[in-house]
Amino acid sequence: MKRYWFFWLIVGLAIWFAFSQFAEIEKILRTVAGGRWQWVMLALLLEGVFYYFLIKLYQTAYLSVGIKEKFPHILSAVLGSNFVNALAPSAGTAGIALLADDAKLRGHSAARAAAAALLAWIFNYGAFLIFLLVGFIYLSILGRLQGYEIIAALIFTLITVLLCATLILANTRRTLLSRLL
C-alpha cells in the first residue's frame, strides 16, 4: 500500500478534476455529439497516431540510454506523465519525476529514465521548431509576422538549446554541470 500512494493521489486528483470541470466536459461532449461523425473519427484516429509516435519516441529515447521496455508499459507511463503534467503546474518536471520513479520501481536507473525523458523532450521540441520555422516563413511571406511572435519563438528556441546543453553537459562534463546547478 505504501508503494502506491502516488498512484492513489493521481486517481484522487483525476476524480477531483473531473468533478470540478464537469461543465467543461459536458460542453466538450455536446460539441463532439453535434459534430460530423466522419471528422470526429478522423480526429480520434489522428490523436491515436500522434500518441503511437510519441510512445515510439520515448521507447527509442529509453533504448538510447540502455533501458529496454515494452510498448504497453511505456504507453501507460507516458500517458501517466502527460496526465500529471496537465494537473501539476511544474513545467513538465512532474512527468519526468513520474517516469524516473516508474523506472526505479522496475529496476532501472532513475537518472537514465530522466535523461531519456529529457532526450524525448528535446526531439519533440526540435520537431516543433521545424513547424514553427515553416509557419514563420509563411507569415513572413504574407507580411503578418509580429515582433512578439519572434520574441516568443526565440525564447522557446533558447529553452530547447538549454535543454540540449544540459544533456550534453551531463554526458561530457558532469562536474561542470554540478557546479552550474
Side-chain angles (χ1 to χ4, degrees), residues 17-94:
F17 182 76
F19 281 114
S20 68
Q21 302 296 320
F22 189 73
E24 272 309 303
I25 293 170
E26 193 175 73
K27 193 174 166 183
I28 290 168
L29 290 175
R30 266 195 317 255
T31 303
V32 169
R36 295 168 104 184
W37 70 269
Q38 299 94 334
W39 291 110
V40 172
M41 294 308 290
L42 179 63
L44 289 174
L45 175 70
L46 290 175
E47 191 73 14
V49 168
F50 167 77
Y51 277 109
Y52 173 79
F53 284 110
L54 180 67
I55 303 310
K56 290 307 261 182
L57 171 67
Y58 273 88
Q59 191 174 32
T60 303
Y62 270 54
L63 280 173
S64 72
V65 297
I67 298 175
K68 187 172 182 174
E69 283 291 347
K70 294 186 185 219
F71 187 88
H73 177 73
I74 293 179
L75 172 70
S76 63
V78 171
L79 290 179
S81 171
N82 284 352
F83 180 75
V84 169
N85 286 338
L87 289 181
S90 63
T93 56

Side-chain angles (χ1 to χ4, degrees), residues 3 7 12 16-17 23 30 35 47 53 58 73 77 80-82 84 95 104 121-123 139 155 157 162 169 180:
R3 205 169 126 157
F7 170 76
W16 170 79
F17 182 76
R30 266 195 317 255
E47 191 73 14
F53 284 110
Y58 273 88
H73 177 73
S81 171
N82 284 352
V84 169
K104 185 177 177 187
W121 267 21
I122 290 168
F123 277 101
L139 287 173
I155 291 170
T157 304
L162 287 174
L169 281 176
L180 290 173

Side-chain angles (χ1 to χ4, degrees), residues 107-131:
H108 301 294
S109 165
R112 285 180 187 258
L118 185 58
L119 185 63
W121 267 21
I122 290 168
F123 277 101
N124 211 356
Y125 286 1
F128 176 72
L129 284 173
I130 293 169
F131 287 101

Side-chain angles (χ1 to χ4, degrees), residues 3 5-7 62 94-111 113-114:
R3 205 169 126 157
W5 72 270
F6 191 69
F7 170 76
Y62 270 54
I96 290 178
L98 179 78
L99 291 170
D101 186 56
D102 178 66
K104 185 177 177 187
L105 288 175
R106 294 174 84 46
H108 301 294
S109 165

